Amino acid sequence: MKIKDILGGKFKRKIRRGSRIKRMRQEDLHLNEGGNVFDGTTDFEHSMIPGIMKSVNTVLSKIGIKAIPIGSGATPTKGKVSGDLDMIVDVDQLKQYFKMEDAKDADIRKKLRQLYDLAGFETAQTGSSVHVKVPMGDHAHQVDIMVVPNAANAAQFHTHNIPAGSKFKGTNKHQLLSVIARQKGMLWSNFVGLFKRLPNGKKDPNGFITSDINEIAKLLLGPNARKEDMGSVESIVAALGKEGEELLANIRANDPNWKELD
């Protein structure tokens, strides 16, 4: 199979109801990075992330739930600036609290938004995210909260270890993992894990393989790989050796969706 035949595609994860595996077979979620939703929000230095997270979780802590930072928010970098903070919260915990175990995830997102409305925050909702405008001193900052199954495990897939000066983002990491999975006859879901792939290229709804990040690393990168090898494009390429270098070069040359930092 040629590289151009396996490039492309979006990273998906199906929302499930009932058992966790069943929920992982219905509707895919996407991490939408960036994009201002509110007027009057400003960028923030990463040193401010703990304070922003505290404001977000003050609301959830009252119902015994916690939102988890992902992306750059999970590994703050001194001196770095971000436009918004991405977090995830566990849909099963919310369903249990609201006593809405059979509800659609869209309804649970509405209930989550209402929690922040009642707490006095300005909120918005787009797609799979609830957006919260968090005041901090004289400024306010945007937090994007996604509602996902098994949030604690999913957070591992979005905890990056990107080297200083890297041109690659977390999105690039997931694009690369997706291509590697396709080469091996699997499908990478960046909120769930690995699935078998049908002959038509789509996810096999009955083919869930694993959500264990160490097992995923071994299946995609080699028998000696560990979760640390999935932390960045650089570590993935290093784990694959020459094959990884060739794969990255082909993606850069052939995938129009591949975008790096300037």
Side-chain angles (χ1 to χ4, degrees), residues 67-160:
I68 305 170
I70 61 174
S72 60
T75 53
T77 302
K78 185 177 180 180
K80 188 174 180 178
V81 174
S82 291
D84 52 46
L85 177 63
D86 293 315
M87 303 185 78
I88 57 177
V89 64
D90 195 286
V91 67
D92 293 316
Q93 293 179 354
L94 289 172
K95 286 183 176 182
Q96 184 176 10
Y97 171 76
F98 291 122
K99 302 186 187 305
M100 297 173 62
E101 285 80 1
D102 296 325
K104 295 180 180 179
D105 287 13
D107 294 331
I108 298 301
R109 289 193 289 270
K110 291 178 182 178
K111 297 292 288 186
L112 176 64
R113 181 180 180 182
Q114 289 173 7
L115 280 179
Y116 284 95
D117 288 337
L118 291 171
F121 289 88
E122 183 178 343
T123 67
Q125 196 171 337
T126 60
S128 58
S129 294
V130 173
H131 310 281
V132 181
K133 185 176 181 179
V134 178
M136 296 285 291
D138 296 329
H139 303 284
H141 311 291
Q142 180 175 315
V143 177
D144 303 329
I145 307 175
M146 293 185 68
V147 180
V148 304
N150 200 6
N153 191 73
Q156 296 182 85
F157 304 148
H158 295 275
T159 300
H160 314 311

Side-chain angles (χ1 to χ4, degrees), residues 229-250:
D229 295 312
M230 293 179 56
S232 66
V233 168
E234 287 86 352
S235 62
I236 293 169
V237 170
L240 292 172
K242 184 177 181 181
E243 176 188 352
E245 296 173 1
E246 294 174 350
L247 179 59
L248 178 59
N250 279 323

Side-chain angles (χ1 to χ4, degrees), residues 167-169 171-172 175 251 255-262:
K167 293 184 177 182
F168 305 115
K169 303 180 293 182
T171 300
N172 297 126
Q175 286 177 285
I251 292 175
D255 188 353
N257 296 314
W258 182 268
K259 306 296 182 184
E260 300 176 11
L261 297 173
D262 296 330

Side-chain angles (χ1 to χ4, degrees), residues 49-67:
I49 288 177
I52 298 172
M53 287 173 49
K54 183 177 180 180
S55 292
V56 171
N57 277 320
T58 294
V59 175
L60 290 176
S61 64
K62 294 177 181 178
I63 62 173
I65 297 174
K66 182 178 180 180

